[in-house]
Structures are given as structure tokens and as C-alpha cells.
Amino acid sequence: MTEESERRPETPAEENGSAGVFAVLGKQLKLTRERAGLNQREFGQLVGYGPDQISAMERGVRTPRPEFLRRADEILGANGMFIAVIPEVEEAMTRARTRHPEWYRGYAALEAQAVSLHDYSTMGVLGLLQTEDYARAVFTQRHPPLDEETIEKRVADRLSRQQIFEQWPPPEFSFVIEQAVLERPIGGLKVHKDQLRQLLRIGRRRNVQLQVMPTGRHEHPCLDNGFTLLIPKGKEQVAYMESQEYPKLISDREEVRVLAARYGIIRAQALNPHESLDLIEKMLDGR
């Protein structure tokens, strides 16, 4: 990977100058929250966001949605301060874009347009589902090592992709995760538990079906790499997979059909969503 292909904005809008809007707004949000005597977790619970999402907004690497700003204004007693900036935020959002490494940009553009996305994960938690600390641990542990600036840029890009969960109308999501992935404590115990809580939060969304493939299954329809199936708005379904950062974007109808059929079998053999969330809760409780 060349230096030029790796270099990209730390925030979703740095390249076009609108990053300043998000940075200033993030500082105002943090100051107002602290004056209200709330930590990030407490505030997140009140507005329906996780602490990592609040942290990302306060640092300017995640765009606050208008509905979030209205709720925050009410909870923090901001007297209309956050509501007043909604027009500027909406304008900045129309200009904001996240750059990714050259090899990833084609898929990233399609993912941002997805009306449905289905993923099977075998080695780690999918980037769309990761907490900030989990993502940072993944990139920090990469070999050969990445420099600190690159790590932070990659974390910021990964968090910015998660805004797809806040789109309206919401895309349809399904995720199947191997149980072994959930048992691997990447980043340590605290990071691991926070990641499990994140999966519970996302898995309880009405437009999300999250399933776990138990390790004890005697039969398995896919012992190869994981893969993602998605349908971009107005386009046909495509598939994406990568191995050791070698990406493959698949648009051939027959290849996509085979993967879609395989994914259907994977879902049928996995725990159902209710059983899966129950298993994650038990893992979180240490039972």
C-alpha cells in the first residue's frame, strides 16, 4: 500500500473544510455535558447512544445527527444552542465524505449506499460493529506495526462508517458471528465486555438480526473466509471479502448467488437472534 493511498482525513469531512464544524460542536457538547455533571456513559444512556459514540462526536470524528442534537439540547439544558446549529450541521453533512485506502474505497462507497447488508464474520468483530477501543486494539496489534497517526486515522474512518445505522429509512442488517470471535478478548477484559455490550445494543435494533454460530456445531457450510453481501440503492446485490488485506469485490451474478445461498444455510444453522443475544448476555455475565 502506498503512502498516498493510505493518507486520508482523520475526520469524516477534513478534506472539504467542514471538519471545523464538527470539531467545534464536539467541544461545545463535551463542555455542556460536563457542566451537567454527566459522564459519557450516563449521557449516552439518556440519548440512546453508547459511550464510544459520544466520545467520537465530542472529538469531531462522528457526525451528530439532527435528532441527537435536539435530544441533547433538551437533556443538557442548552437553551437552543445545539438546535441552532442544526442547519450548519446538515449542510456540512452533505459535503462530508470519508476517504479510505485505495483498495477499500470501491466497497466503502457501495456500503454507504446500502439498503441491506448481511455479514458473516469468522476472525473478528466486523468493523461496523466495533467499539472505538476494540477498533484501536485491532489496529494497534497489527503487524508490521502501524504508526500512531495511521492508527488514529483508521479508527476514525471505521467509526464514521457506523453512521449507516442512523440513516432513514434504515437499511436492513443481519450479522452472523462465530462464537469463537466473541470469546476472544481483544484489547483486554474491559474492552471485550464493552464490545459485547455494543453487540447487544445493536442486536436489539428493530432493523438488525444478529446471530451467533455455535462452536459446537458438527456441520458447517462455510469453513472459508467470512464475507459481506449488500445491495446498494438502485443496484444489484454484490459481495465483498478480503484475506490479509487483499480485497475482492464480487459483482458476477452467479458468484453472488452462490454466496447468498451459502449465507442462508449459515443463518439456518446459527442460533436464532433471541438465543444469540441471550448467549452474549451470559458471556457478559461470566456464566
Side-chain angles (χ1 to χ4, degrees):
M1 186 182 303
T2 67
E3 182 180 353
E4 177 62 26
S5 66
E6 179 58 39
R7 191 171 65 246
R8 58 198 184 283
E10 184 172 351
T11 67
E14 186 172 306
E15 188 174 65
N16 58 36
S18 57
V21 174
F22 302 131
V24 172
L25 182 57
K27 291 178 180 179
Q28 292 176 332
L29 179 63
K30 180 180 180 180
L31 179 62
T32 310
R33 171 184 59 78
E34 291 176 342
R35 284 179 175 174
L38 299 171
N39 61 35
Q40 291 177 339
R41 184 177 299 279
E42 292 168 339
F43 177 51
Q45 290 175 342
L46 293 174
V47 293
Y49 283 74
D52 289 319
Q53 295 170 307
I54 299 299
S55 172
M57 283 188 277
E58 291 184 348
R59 290 183 294 107
V61 300
R62 185 186 181 97
T63 307
R65 309 291 292 186
E67 55 270 24
F68 166 84
L69 292 172
R70 294 187 184 95
R71 183 69 175 144
D73 195 274
E74 176 185 356
I75 291 173
L76 299 177
N79 298 318
M81 178 177 66
F82 295 127
I83 294 176
V85 300
I86 287 177
E88 285 76 13
V89 169
E90 290 178 329
E91 180 182 356
M93 287 170 60
T94 64
R95 296 183 279 117
R97 67 186 180 93
T98 301
R99 293 181 60 199
H100 298 277
E102 189 73 37
W103 56 268
Y104 190 76
R105 290 179 194 169
Y107 171 78
L110 293 174
E111 182 187 81
Q113 307 170 37
V115 296
S116 72
L117 186 150
H118 312 283
D119 181 83
Y120 168 53
S121 296
T122 62
M123 300 301 294
V125 175
L126 181 68
L128 281 179
L129 306 177
Q130 291 178 7
T131 65
E132 179 179 351
D133 288 338
Y134 186 100
R136 184 170 287 105
V138 168
F139 290 127
T140 300
Q141 295 170 14
R142 183 73 56 85
H143 285 275
L146 301 172
D147 62 70
E148 292 301 318
E149 181 181 1
T150 298
I151 290 172
E152 290 308 310
K153 287 179 179 179
R154 290 196 177 189
V155 171
D157 279 351
R158 182 153 291 183
L159 293 177
S160 71
R161 288 171 50 210
Q162 296 176 4
Q163 294 182 62
I164 192 174
F165 287 110
E166 299 165 24
Q167 293 179 4
W168 190 264
E172 290 295 327
F173 296 99
S174 70
F175 305 99
V176 181
I177 307 174
E178 286 288 338
Q179 182 177 343
V181 170
L182 303 181
E183 293 172 343
R184 185 173 295 120
I186 298 296
L189 184 60
K190 181 181 183 303
V191 173
H192 181 229
K193 287 195 171 186
D194 285 344
Q195 180 61 67
L196 293 180
R197 294 188 185 99
Q198 170 97 325
L199 293 176
L200 289 175
R201 284 193 297 268
I202 295 176
R204 289 171 179 145
R205 289 173 175 259
R206 290 182 296 166
N207 61 319
V208 174
Q209 298 284 306
L210 191 150
Q211 296 176 254
V212 176
M213 176 66 82
T215 304
R217 287 287 190 257
H218 293 173
E219 297 181 358
H220 200 301
C222 183
L223 293 177
D224 298 319
N225 290 340
F227 56 89
T228 302
L229 296 162
L230 64 86
I231 301 178
K233 186 176 181 179
K235 300 179 182 179
E236 294 189 358
Q237 188 175 48
V238 297
Y240 175 82
M241 62 179 68
E242 62 183 68
S243 176
Q244 300 298 324
E245 291 195 351
Y246 285 91
K248 186 178 182 181
L249 183 62
I250 303 170
S251 58
D252 180 81
R253 290 183 178 179
E254 180 59 19
E255 290 186 57
V256 173
R257 183 196 67 78
V258 169
L259 287 173
R262 188 175 298 164
Y263 185 72
I265 300 172
I266 291 172
R267 291 197 68 182
Q269 294 187 358
L271 299 176
N272 68 39
H274 177 78
E275 294 168 335
S276 298
L277 295 182
D278 185 57
L279 175 61
I280 295 173
E281 286 181 337
K282 290 179 179 178
M283 294 174 67
L284 189 57
D285 294 337
R287 298 201 299 270

